Amino acid sequence: MSFEAQLEHLISEALAEDIGDGDHSTLSCISPDAKGKAVLKIKDKGILAGLGIAEKIFFLKEPRAIFIPYKKDGEQMTEGEKAFEVEAHIHTILSCERVVLNCMQRMCGIATLTNQYVQKLKGYKTRLLDTRKTTPNFRLLEKEAVRIGGGVNHRFGLFDMIMLKDNHIDYCGGIEKAIDLADEYVRNKKPGLKIEVETRSVDDVKKVIASGKGKISRIMLDNFKPKEIEEALQVINGEFETEASGGINLDNIEEYAKTGVDYVSVGALIHQAKSLDLSLKAVIV
């Protein structure tokens, strides 16, 4: 399913969740023919994200709505600025208000935290990855916020990459067996699907190198300390992409980047992000 199709589904479900059998607050006191304007006011400092999503929400509800952006996704924002203005039927504005704010506040928080990590990586070759530690049914926009903040989206779900983690390896009976079976599966059923293997020690890394050439594309170094990563990278010698994961935060991410590892993955980009404050206010002429 395309991004647009997934987005439309997400918005439809979010609006249905909020509106139910009717926005009775609005129905009770606002004429269905009345039109109005509203402006999104920024009340926090950070990275703006979700502007395009807000536009889509209003247009799906009312295709003839007028949406005027004052900023762009990915731009720095400060308290007191305006992000956009929308002109539509008042019923549309009020029915969409909370969905727009919930999406944008969450996305701005994620984009802002992601950008703080990205700034720490300036000057290093290491790139920042997100994870699947996301809110159920909201992953599409959480990962979009990471992208807007300057991070790189890792696999979207269980379907677009094989990642042999510790549980897969233990249940299967070992690294070598898991790699061989995954490689056979890809060749027979999913040609082109990439394989990544999680390792828990330098000995694991050596096993992957011995059995994974021509089969896997990336080695994950899980919960390795920076010095252990340096040792592992010497063994890998550039033959595979490398990813450090586990325990990486704003205070130590530079230490990991100094090792020369290709990627660092940080679940906190999403599950530790704090929503930023925005408000949608009526414009009364």
Side-chain angles (χ1 to χ4, degrees), residues 174-193:
I175 287 178
E176 297 92 342
K177 184 178 179 182
I179 289 174
D180 287 343
L181 289 173
D183 177 59
E184 183 180 356
Y185 179 91
V186 168
R187 285 187 285 106
N188 293 332
K189 296 186 177 181
K190 279 286 185 179
L193 197 65

Side-chain angles (χ1 to χ4, degrees), residues 3-42:
F3 178 87
E4 283 299 314
Q6 291 181 71
L7 178 58
E8 289 189 17
H9 176 74
L10 185 155
I11 293 170
S12 296
E13 291 296 307
L15 289 172
E17 176 187 55
D18 205 29
I19 297 171
D21 70 347
D23 173 9
H24 299 302
S25 303
T26 301
L27 290 168
S28 68
C29 65
I30 305 292
S31 166
D33 297 324
K35 291 188 176 182
K37 292 182 182 180
V39 62
L40 189 86
K41 295 184 176 181
I42 296 166

